Amino acid sequence: MTESNGVRVVIPGDVVLSQLPKEGILQMGSGVFVSESGLDSMGVIANQAGVLKEEKHGNSASVWVLSRQKLYSPSVGDAVVGTIVHRYTEHYEVDIDSTSTALLPILAFENASKRNRPMLREGDVVYGRVVHVDKGIPRYILNCTDASGKSSGYGPLYNSSQTSSNKKGMLYRISTIYARDLLLQTSSSAAEHRVPGILHILGTRIPFEIAIGMNGLFWITSNSSSSASKQYVETCILGTTIQACESCTKQVVEALQREPHGKEVAENSSSMFATLLARHVLGQFKAQVNSWS
């Protein structure tokens, strides 16, 4: 383990914590696991290379390794966006873009019963929470409620049997690091984020609904009062803007924030975002061409 300017870099096998805390709750995310060599010597070990991250929330704490992993590795407590790929009698099979699919029990919804539960089909999108991980098989189990049994934003995002076609929304893929950045925007200082406040900036122009998964997928749909065709365009612009801002510099995001957003701009928000994105992409292309000469 190495440390520079307060940043701790770990590699597989490094000891993160020599022993578990005697008080409070320790929640472990991706990249760490509990060593079970003995009850008196249980500690937390890193199994991924990356930057060690720790957060404290009152009497509880979280620890994980921030790394650019190409394949998502689920951890208990992760919020994920997935697509129904198979429907069985007692559960759904959900693609969460990992080593294997996850299982979602048919009663894993708020107030669900065998007579009153969401009727999901293949292709429907759900927002769930990882409640069990067995990496030996591997097998992952999801739940669409929080620890108290409430939905708290979890559940079907697009249900083909109930949702109108213009509210289907769209799925986008981003890195797991960027996904965590977006999820932490409301709980940490903006200075810690690669793209500070981008969701708030976009929300002042176009109202939208979004679900961000730690598996590097996010689902988004426009909530404006526009026509169905314009809502589709707005959804595309919102999704591609968030996706493109992963590689944006801080100056680009600040320029986006400085754009006026009065009534006259809100009515033409689609063209505004399209213009800003075009400028950004064209600027990157010109820089690449200049580097070749």
Side-chain angles (χ1 to χ4, degrees):
M1 180 186 299
T2 60
E3 185 170 350
S4 176
N5 297 327
V7 177
R8 300 173 63 187
V9 179
V10 297
I11 61 174
D14 281 349
V15 178
V16 175
L17 294 174
S18 58
Q19 60 181 8
L20 295 178
K22 297 181 180 180
E23 297 180 354
I25 300 174
L26 177 64
Q27 183 176 357
M28 293 179 296
S30 59
V32 293
F33 70 99
V34 175
S35 171
E36 299 179 353
S37 56
L39 293 177
D40 296 332
S41 59
M42 291 181 67
V44 179
I45 309 296
N47 59 6
Q48 288 182 9
V51 178
L52 183 66
K53 291 289 187 177
E54 297 178 83
E55 277 195 355
K56 292 185 178 181
H57 311 278
N59 199 32
S60 63
S62 303
V63 59
W64 72 93
V65 174
L66 198 60
S67 63
R68 277 201 171 274
Q69 54 187 6
K70 293 185 178 180
L71 191 63
Y72 168 65
S73 179
S75 297
V76 173
D78 283 359
V80 296
V81 175
T83 304
I84 305 294
V85 292
H86 289 293
R87 176 181 172 182
Y88 299 98
T89 305
E90 298 295 329
H91 68 270
Y92 298 102
E93 187 176 352
V94 185
D95 180 8
I96 58 171
D97 206 26
S98 185
T99 52
S100 70
T101 54
L103 303 182
L104 175 63
I106 60 173
L107 300 181
F109 301 88
E110 183 180 8
N111 299 326
S113 64
K114 289 189 175 181
R115 292 186 178 183
N116 180 26
R117 57 185 174 86
M119 299 299 294
L120 303 178
R121 303 173 182 173
E122 295 181 7
D124 290 352
V125 182
V126 294
Y127 192 41
R129 181 173 59 94
V130 180
V131 294
H132 178 79
V133 174
D134 189 345
K135 296 185 178 180
I137 301 178
R139 182 179 66 177
Y140 315 115
I141 298 179
L142 306 180
N143 199 314
C144 286
T145 62
D146 60 15
S148 62
K150 301 295 184 181
S151 63
S152 299
Y154 297 115
L157 297 173
Y158 169 66
N159 188 333
S160 57
S161 63
Q162 297 179 2
T163 310
S164 58
S165 57
N166 62 313
K167 284 295 182 181
K168 183 176 181 179
M170 301 187 71
L171 274 178
Y172 289 87
R173 180 175 280 103
I174 54 179
S175 70
T176 54
I177 292 181
Y178 184 41
R180 190 179 289 272
D181 281 347
L182 293 176
L183 284 169
L184 291 177
Q185 279 188 11
T186 58
S187 60
S188 301
S189 61
E192 296 179 3
H193 301 294
R194 183 181 299 103
V195 200
I198 185 61
L199 299 182
H200 172 73
I201 295 171
L202 296 177
T204 60
R205 273 71 169 186
I206 305 175
F208 63 89
E209 180 181 351
I210 190 172
I212 305 167
M214 290 188 178
N215 55 337
L217 294 173
F218 72 88
W219 173 92
I220 190 168
T221 184
S222 169
N223 274 347
S224 71
S225 57
S226 308
S227 62
S229 59
K230 189 173 181 181
Q231 281 185 344
Y232 174 78
V233 173
E234 291 173 344
T235 299
C236 292
I237 291 171
L238 288 166
T240 52
T241 301
I242 295 172
Q243 197 176 45
C245 279
E246 180 173 3
S247 59
C248 285
T249 62
K250 185 177 180 180
Q251 290 74 18
V252 172
V253 179
E254 289 176 348
L256 177 63
Q257 191 170 14
R258 287 194 300 268
E259 288 289 329
H261 53 278
K263 182 179 179 181
E264 68 284 354
V265 176
E267 294 175 351
N268 198 26
S269 54
S270 298
S271 60
M272 181 189 71
F273 283 124
T275 302
L276 287 172
L277 276 180
R279 289 176 183 172
H280 172 62
V281 174
L282 182 60
Q284 287 187 325
F285 177 73
K286 287 181 177 179
Q288 185 67 38
V289 171
N290 291 334
S291 67
W292 294 341
S293 58

